[in-house]
Amino acid sequence: MTSTVPALGTQTAEGSALQAVLLDMDGTLVDTEGFWWDAEVEVFARLGHTLDDSWRHVVVGGPMTRSAGFLIEATGADVTLAELTVLLNDGFEDRIGRTLPLMPGAARLLAELSAHGIPTALVSASHRRIIDRVVTSLGPQNFALTIAGDEVERTKPFPDPYLLAAAGLGADPARCAVIEDTATGVAAAEAAGCHVVAVPSVAPISPAVRRTVVPSLEQVDLSFLRGLMTEKR
């Protein structure tokens, strides 16, 4: 976990019930969910195995230990979890080194949150080495702290990463808005007691109590996020 500004005791704009915004990374801020699948396909091809496209929905959005473990079991590949983790991270890092497309509306939203002094955290199941590369492009000044999947004992779909981020920002999870793109991430945020904005990337997500579904970050701004805190649900 890293912090770019003092986190505890951070205040929001006067009169706003929104205390912090917590954002997922892959598929939410950066258009990279496909990069992970492409890296998985490439690595397993080198190992002599072809991945079934239907498995993409199984591995998306979760921790690497889960997705990599599933693919090893499904293919019977002769590779350890530790070895595969290194290969996948290498493949993904190579791709983001060539191009790192942002999701529509991501840069504008981050700039707006930063301009209004809203405490913001990046909460990802990706490993620290990946997060640090991506944050360089997103702008480290836009995040008070970042949470990596390999730095928590239990990552998504458990609530731990979001609870840790809220605590690091001195915020009540119930006063935090989380933006996620997968069912795994949504489950983690909801288990932490946060309000959730789902922007589905690979698989559909249905609206629910304390969960708003939008087609793009272009529909999300500070006024929208503050409104979530005042809705009666």
Side-chain angles (χ1 to χ4, degrees):
M1 179 174 65
T2 63
S3 177
T4 56
V5 299
L8 294 177
T10 310
Q11 298 298 312
T12 61
E14 184 177 355
S16 172
L18 177 67
Q19 292 184 346
V21 178
L22 317 176
L23 301 111
D24 174 55
M25 187 177 75
D26 295 300
T28 298
L29 292 176
V30 288
D31 191 7
T32 51
E33 287 291 11
F35 286 13
W36 282 113
W37 180 248
D38 291 344
E40 288 159 351
V41 168
E42 180 182 273
V43 167
F44 276 89
R46 295 204 306 265
L47 294 171
H49 299 273
T50 300
L51 300 188
D52 190 314
D53 196 61
S54 66
W55 295 343
R56 183 174 181 176
H57 295 281
V58 179
V59 301
V60 68
M64 185 173 293
T65 52
R66 188 195 74 182
S67 58
F70 168 83
L71 292 174
I72 290 173
E73 183 176 354
T75 61
D78 183 19
V79 62
T80 68
L81 184 60
E83 291 168 340
L84 182 57
T85 295
V86 172
L87 292 173
L88 293 178
N89 274 323
D90 286 347
F92 183 82
E93 197 165 0
D94 175 66
R95 283 166 170 78
I96 63 174
R98 285 180 264 148
T99 181
L100 185 60
L102 301 189
M103 298 299 287
R108 186 264 315 151
L109 177 60
L110 290 175
E112 182 181 13
L113 295 174
S114 179
H116 287 83
I118 304 299
T120 304
L122 186 69
V123 184
S124 176
S126 291
H127 289 189
R128 169 57 55 192
R129 60 180 282 196
I130 300 298
I131 287 180
D132 287 346
R133 285 288 301 274
V134 173
V135 167
T136 299
S137 297
L138 289 174
Q141 74 279 2
N142 290 318
F143 304 98
L145 62 85
T146 60
I147 305 291
D150 58 338
E151 295 174 344
V152 293
E153 186 174 343
R154 301 190 309 172
T155 189
K156 305 172 188 179
F158 294 100
D160 305 34
Y162 282 114
L163 292 173
L164 183 62
L169 295 176
D172 177 355
R175 292 280 193 86
C176 293
V178 170
I179 304 179
E180 273 280 359
D181 72 303
T182 67
T184 299
V186 167
E190 290 181 340
C194 304
H195 293 260
V196 178
V197 178
V199 191
S201 60
V202 175
I205 299 173
S206 300
V209 175
R210 295 171 65 87
R211 182 197 309 166
T212 302
V213 180
V214 297
S216 167
L217 283 182
E218 293 181 310
Q219 277 71 54
V220 181
D221 58 16
L222 181 52
S223 176
F224 176 91
L225 295 173
R226 283 176 170 161
L228 297 177
M229 304 296 117
T230 61
E231 291 182 9
K232 295 181 180 178
R233 303 187 179 195

